[in-house]
Amino acid sequence: MHKDLSHPARATRLVSAGRPTEPGSALNVPLVPASNFIIGGKHEYARDDGTPTWEALEEIVGGLESGQAVAFASGMAAIAAVFDQLHTGSVVALPDDCYQGVAGLAAAGAERGRWRVQRIAVDDTAGWIAACATADLVWLESPSNPLLTVADLQAICAAPRKAGTFVAVDSTLATPLNQRPLEMGASVSIQSATKFIGGHSDLLAGVASTQHETLLKALRHARELMGATPGTLEAFLAVRGVRTLALRLERAQQSAMTLAERLVQHPQVTRVRYPGLPSHPTHAVARRVLAGFGTLISFDLRGDAALADRSCRNTRIIHHATSFGAVESTMERRAAVPGQGHLPPTLLRLSVGIEDVEDLWRDLDQAIRAAAG
Ligand SMILES: *Cc1c(COP(=O)(O)O)cnc(C)c1O
């Protein structure tokens, strides 16, 4: 049904993949709201066999990730399906800085005696290499959220592993355009499609991609048994959204670099974390591992949490909202998020969207200055 897209440039693949090709078909994959199909074809029951709409999303993201993809109801559903592969008594290596949902999932399983969790600093490459030889699941998130530390995936994914160990990379912050963990040797790459793939803050979805046939089957089986299937409308919107990923990312990360450089000079800002800045602790690794430095900036303000909260409320263009990876810019104080109290109290995480960069800078500057009063 779909054209052979083995080698075109990724920006082209984004636009061309996952489309019907029969004469007379619509150019876009249709929204197929189906649980049930006539027996004898490729699909019989959607939770078991998928739908054409999910498959378009899987074809696009799998192609970008250099693997085969399984779409889920959310990023967390994809992540839970990977954790579900573990046998009781397993050891999970987890970053010291990672998405709070993943830390919560790992902690809940540890509490019930399903596995033990070992925390490793994102930039402790030797620690991760050692974990590859001892842990059953090596869970990396890079760049990390919200400190934006970049792990040396080239070194870690190539390290010798204990038999049966999975190396999983939550690559959501990088997008499949800036980082391809499977090409570096990871067992599975995760995208919360809620973020950059959807790109418009209007859906929840997740995608896990792998090059291993057995793991692919196991992830599909987990989706079937746990029922964490993507919504049809969400899959359709994710396909619609991902078509412009290359353009959105290029624009937003160019603006992010400009804003990060200006924030460094701002009198009310004490520290800026952006992997593109030479001052960033893992800038050298970022240059090697990532094709682009991304659209998130974390920065600390001079003053207290109340001042940082006021800065978020003072913005007129940037939305005071969580999440990231959308066309609209958002900003929040991360230590205010449950489970994130260990972060610097004035750390703001800014997700740079595709608005005009000078408008964004004026908005940020006035918001911070007004808060400092
Ligand atoms: C948002 C996010 C998730 C969870 O994705 P959902 O789609 O919200 O379930 C996982 N990992 C990272 C890095 C995220 O940013």
Side-chain angles (χ1 to χ4, degrees):
M1 167 179 176
H2 299 295
K3 284 180 188 152
D4 175 18
L5 290 160
S6 16
H7 294 298
R10 281 166 206 276
T12 302
R13 186 198 293 261
L14 262 180
V15 178
S16 331
R19 293 187 186 274
T21 53
E22 284 94 28
S25 305
L27 286 182
N28 294 295
V29 70
L31 188 63
V32 183
S35 56
N36 220 355
F37 299 82
I38 295 166
I39 288 176
K42 182 178 178 192
H43 309 98
E44 294 189 355
Y45 189 64
R47 179 162 51 72
D48 303 339
D49 314 315
T51 75
T53 318
W54 311 355
E55 283 162 8
L57 177 61
E58 291 173 340
E59 182 181 321
I60 299 164
V61 178
L64 290 174
E65 293 268 31
S66 301
Q68 284 188 278
V70 186
F72 288 87
S74 65
M76 282 310 300
I79 291 164
V82 175
F83 273 75
D84 192 55
Q85 304 306 312
L86 293 174
H87 297 286
T88 304
S90 294
V91 174
V92 178
L94 205 69
D96 60 346
D97 179 42
C98 74
Y99 185 69
Q100 76 275 8
V102 178
L105 177 78
E111 232 167 75
R112 289 178 207 130
R114 291 188 64 187
W115 49 66
R116 281 190 300 115
V117 177
Q118 176 193 4
R119 302 298 285 258
I120 301 175
V122 177
D123 60 357
D124 179 6
T125 306
W128 287 106
I129 288 173
C132 289
T134 54
D136 301 282
L137 173 61
V138 174
W139 186 272
L140 289 144
E141 177 180 313
S142 187
S144 71
N145 181 16
L147 297 179
L148 308 177
T149 310
V150 182
D152 189 347
L153 294 187
Q154 282 170 338
I156 300 163
C157 294
R161 285 178 210 166
K162 191 172 92 167
T165 293
F166 294 124
V167 175
V169 179
D170 184 337
S171 192
T172 299
L173 270 73
T175 83
L177 292 180
N178 277 345
Q179 178 169 268
R180 282 185 295 283
L182 303 184
E183 290 181 5
M184 293 186 262
S187 323
V188 57
S189 175
I190 305 287
Q191 293 288 334
S192 166
T194 309
K195 314 293 168 52
F196 292 95
I197 289 175
H200 295 75
S201 308
D202 56 4
L203 64 91
L204 284 166
V207 183
S209 303
T210 180
Q211 295 177 337
H212 301 278
E213 201 61 39
T214 43
L215 185 54
L216 179 72
K217 285 202 179 110
L219 291 169
R220 285 197 184 126
H221 198 55
R223 179 177 68 183
E224 182 184 328
L225 296 186
M226 299 194 292
T229 51
T232 301
L233 178 61
E234 283 77 1
F236 180 86
L237 288 172
V239 168
R240 167 90 174 221
V242 79
R243 298 293 185 204
T244 54
L245 176 62
L247 285 172
R248 289 187 276 112
L249 186 66
E250 188 184 353
R251 161 83 168 211
Q253 74 189 356
Q254 208 170 6
S255 298
M257 189 74 213
T258 302
L259 296 176
E261 283 169 345
R262 291 186 192 177
L263 282 168
V264 168
Q265 307 293 330
H266 200 285
Q268 294 300 323
V269 174
T270 56
R271 178 162 182 189
V272 182
R273 295 172 186 80
Y274 181 67
L277 293 175
S279 61
H280 189 270
T282 53
H283 176 66
V285 178
R287 289 187 72 96
R288 189 153 47 73
V289 173
L290 298 171
F293 299 120
T295 72
L296 285 173
I297 306 169
S298 288
F299 59 99
D300 300 356
L301 291 178
R302 197 180 303 286
D304 58 9
L307 180 144
D309 283 334
R310 284 201 301 281
S311 301
C312 291
R313 288 196 299 266
N314 286 343
T315 55
R316 294 165 192 153
I317 295 171
I318 300 166
H319 300 270
H320 184 198
T322 192
S323 200
F324 58 86
V327 290
E328 68 278 5
S329 298
T330 57
M331 186 163 76
E332 70 172 335
R333 189 171 71 82
R334 282 306 285 180
V337 174
Q340 299 281 281
H342 61 286
L343 292 169
T346 68
L347 182 146
L348 299 184
R349 190 187 68 189
L350 169 66
S351 172
V352 180
I354 63 170
E355 303 93 338
D356 178 74
V357 67
E358 296 304 332
D359 281 339
L360 289 177
W361 175 248
R362 272 191 293 275
D363 192 34
L364 199 54
D365 180 49
Q366 70 76 24
I368 297 169
R369 282 180 198 274

